[in-house]
Each structure stands twice: as structure tokens, then as C-alpha cells.
């Protein structure tokens, strides 16, 4: 079997920026083991596999090296950009069938605008337990962390400044204690998403990092799903004045990424989160299995 593949850098308009994702066209029917093996082969955080859908325009499956996940942000941008690059879809609106539901998307050239589902707000873990995962103390956190999801859950954790964000270092032992406290087991990993209300550059309003446990790479350059969850949390907690802002991530890795974000609805009744980013198709080829 052979499949067309595009390697796309998402949330950037230039090569080697943002976050990379390999898109396997017509690969949604592959078995889980093959999909995970492909992700490990690429050393990327996530890869996607597309196929036909009975409920949307396209079906998209999202895989980490360790498991399938219901949704991911930068792979959504990458997938739509790859299909647009190949002329498989026109500019305009389309829908994606994902494990988190049907996701509406608008595409214009290499710019992709996706509307993530309405947020769900969960547990508020002990700040000291969360802080320890990043080698910090509870005093480094400015507001109570909370599990938040717009398709994939993260514990949104607001730090006091950019210098503190840059000090974050992943502690595996503390991570296990944190997961035990949340009652999370097996492959249902729920990492803290560390953020601060200042940009990495003058153009940004927020700056964030996501550190991950093996077998994933140590840090994600840009996390679109967590950006949506962060936006919902910040807006609901009145930690941002405007529902529209610019999110930045990846600068410390030499892979700067940026997204325009808009939270839809009032603070107490958020209807969804729009995350918009650009993409660059870095290379294309054929996967032989």
C-alpha cells in the first residue's frame, strides 16, 4: 500500500517554525499500531490520517506515538493546509469529523480558521501538586489551575511572569503524583499547560509551553488544542479583557508559532473558541507500507 504524505509546519508562515505534523492522506483506515509506529518514525508529536466521512466533509484521525487522541489543534491546521495544497479542497468552509465531534473550519490559501467545541471545565487540582510537575512552587502560580477542554483536556496553569515560564522543567515523579491525585491512569495523560499573560514578542498577548512525558518529544512547539482551552479558561476567569488575542508558543525551542484566538460568547456561557493560524508545507512524498 502507498499513501501520499505532506509534512506541514503549522501556526507559522515559514519553514521550520511552529509545529510540524505529517498528514497521511487516505490513511484513516490503517490500524492503530501502524499509525503509532508512523508517528514514532517521524519523531513528531502528532500525525493525522484522513479519510471519507458520513457526517462531515473529511474524517481526521489524530495519533501520538502512544495512542489515538480525539482532537488536536496544530494537526487540524496542518491537515487542512495539506489538502488545500494538493487541490483536494477549495477555499471556503468545510467540516471535519474528529473524535471530539464535528469541527467547522474555514480555509483561505494556507490560513486555517477552526472553531473548537464549547469548553468543559473540570477539576481544580492542588496548585502545589501542579507546580511540582514543572519544578516550581505554588507561589509561582497566580490563579487556581483548572482542567479545561475544547476537545482535549489540559490543566491550564497561569504563571506570574515569562521568567517563571522559562524555568519550567518536567519532573516525572511529580507528574505521577499529580496524575494519581486527578485519578488519571493508563494512556489518559493530562499535562499542565503553562502560560503567562505576556507575549514572547510585542505582537503576542500570551506565551505558553507544554512539556510532555515519554514517548512523546519533551516539549510541544505549538499546541492548538491547549491554546483553545487556555483561551476559554482565561476568558471565563476574567483574566483577559478582550475575547480576541494573539497567542504565542515555541520561541524557546527556536520554532516560534502564533495564533489568532477568539472566544465566542459571554464569560459564563462560552459557545466555542476560534483558533486561526497559517501553515507551510515543508515537504511531500509517498509512504510505502
Amino acid at each position: 500500500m502507498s499513501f501520499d504524505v505532506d509534512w506541514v509546519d503549522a501556526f507559522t508562515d515559514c519553514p521550520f517554525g511552529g509545529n510540524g505534523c505529517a498528514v497521511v492522506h487516505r490513511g484513516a483506515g490503517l490500524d492503530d499500531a501502524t499509525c503509532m509506529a508512523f508517528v514514532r518514525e517521524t519523531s513528531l508529536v502528532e500525525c493525522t490520517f484522513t479519510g471519507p466521512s458520513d457526517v462531515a466533509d473529511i474524517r481526521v484521525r489524530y495519533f501520538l506515538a502512544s495512542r489515538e487522541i480525539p482532537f488536536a489543534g496544530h494537526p487540524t491546521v496542518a491537515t487542512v493546509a495539506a489538502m488545500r495544497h494538493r487541490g483536494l479542497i477549495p477555499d471556503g468552509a468545510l467540516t471535519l469529523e474528529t473524535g471530539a465531534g464535528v469541527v467547522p473550519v474555514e480555509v483561505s490559501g494556507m490560513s486555517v480558521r477552526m472553531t473548537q467545541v464549547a469548553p468543559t471545565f473540570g477539576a481544580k487540582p492542588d496548585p502545589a501538586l501542579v507546580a511540582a510537575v514543572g519544578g516550581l512552587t505554588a507561589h509561582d502560580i497566580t490563579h487556581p489551575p483548572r482542567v479545561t477542554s475544547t476537545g482535549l483536556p489540559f490543566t491550564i496553569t497561569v504563571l506570574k511572569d515569562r521568567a517563571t515560564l522559562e524555568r519550567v522543567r518536567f519532573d516525572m515523579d511529580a507528574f505521577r503524583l499529580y496524575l494519581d491525585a486527578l485519578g488519571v491512569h493508563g494512556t489518559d495523560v493530562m499535562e499542565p499547560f503553562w502560560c503567562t499573560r505576556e507575549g514572547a514578542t510585542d505582537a503576542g498577548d500570551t506565551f505558553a509551553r507544554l512539556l510532555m512525558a515519554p514517548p512523546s518529544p519533551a516539549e510541544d512547539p505549538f499546541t492548538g488544542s491547549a491554546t483553545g482551552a487556555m483561551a476559554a479558561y482565561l476568558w471565563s476567569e476574567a483574566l483577559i479583557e478582550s475575547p480576541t488575542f494573539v497567542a504565542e508558543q515555541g520561541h524557546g525551542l527556536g520554532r516560534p508559532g502564533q495564533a489568532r484566538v477568539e472566544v465566542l460568547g459571554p464569560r459564563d456561557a462560552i459557545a466555542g473558541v476560534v483558533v486561526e493560524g497559517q501553515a507551510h508545507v515543508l515537504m511531500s512524498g509517498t509512504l510505502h507500507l
Side-chain angles (χ1 to χ4, degrees), residues 197 205 234-245 267:
R197 292 176 294 164
D205 300 297
L234 294 176
W235 181 240
S236 69
E237 296 288 333
L239 297 178
I240 50 175
E241 295 181 1
S242 171
T244 303
F245 65 94
R267 297 186 191 276

Side-chain angles (χ1 to χ4, degrees), residues 63-230:
F63 278 87
L64 302 172
S66 58
R67 67 193 190 280
E68 184 173 7
I69 57 176
F71 175 77
H74 90 269
T76 297
V77 171
T79 300
V80 174
M83 297 189 73
R84 185 69 187 90
H85 171 74
R86 287 183 177 267
L88 299 174
I89 55 173
D91 280 355
L94 68 153
T95 54
L96 308 180
E97 177 191 351
T98 77
V102 175
V103 175
V105 171
E106 296 177 21
V107 57
S108 177
M110 290 292 105
S111 180
V112 179
R113 177 182 171 93
M114 60 180 162
T115 302
Q116 299 179 9
V117 299
T120 57
F121 298 101
K124 295 181 178 179
D126 182 349
L129 277 175
V130 178
V133 176
L136 305 175
T137 70
H139 297 293
D140 293 315
I141 298 174
T142 63
H143 295 80
R146 188 166 193 183
V147 175
T148 308
S149 174
T150 54
L152 193 65
F154 298 89
T155 299
I156 306 303
T157 307
V158 182
L159 302 179
K160 58 186 180 182
D161 53 32
R162 180 175 171 179
T164 303
L165 180 64
E166 292 172 348
R167 285 197 290 111
V168 172
R169 297 292 183 271
F170 190 84
D171 186 314
M172 191 66 195
D173 291 335
F175 185 57
R176 293 191 184 99
L177 292 174
Y178 151 86
L179 291 178
D180 287 343
L182 284 174
V184 176
H185 303 287
T187 59
D188 295 326
V189 179
M190 193 181 301
E191 296 99 340
F193 189 62
W194 314 95
C195 62
T196 185
R197 292 176 294 164
E198 57 181 294
T201 71
D202 291 341
D205 300 297
T206 64
F207 186 37
R209 297 178 66 194
L210 179 69
L211 280 68
M212 298 174 293
S216 293
E219 184 168 351
D220 199 24
F222 199 100
T223 319
S225 51
T227 297
M230 174 190 71

Side-chain angles (χ1 to χ4, degrees), residues 4-67:
D4 292 330
V5 179
D6 292 310
W7 186 301
V8 184
D9 289 336
F11 291 109
T12 182
D13 60 357
C14 61
F16 314 121
N19 201 351
C21 173
V23 180
V24 181
H25 299 277
R26 300 177 293 105
L30 291 169
D31 63 89
D32 291 8
T34 299
C35 293
M36 289 184 287
F38 178 74
V39 179
R40 290 192 292 271
E41 188 76 7
T42 66
S43 296
L44 292 166
V45 175
E46 291 143 337
C47 297
T48 61
F49 302 79
T50 70
S53 171
D54 294 329
V55 297
D57 295 309
I58 305 160
R59 181 188 180 201
V60 184
R61 298 181 70 193
Y62 303 81
F63 278 87
L64 302 172
S66 58
R67 67 193 190 280

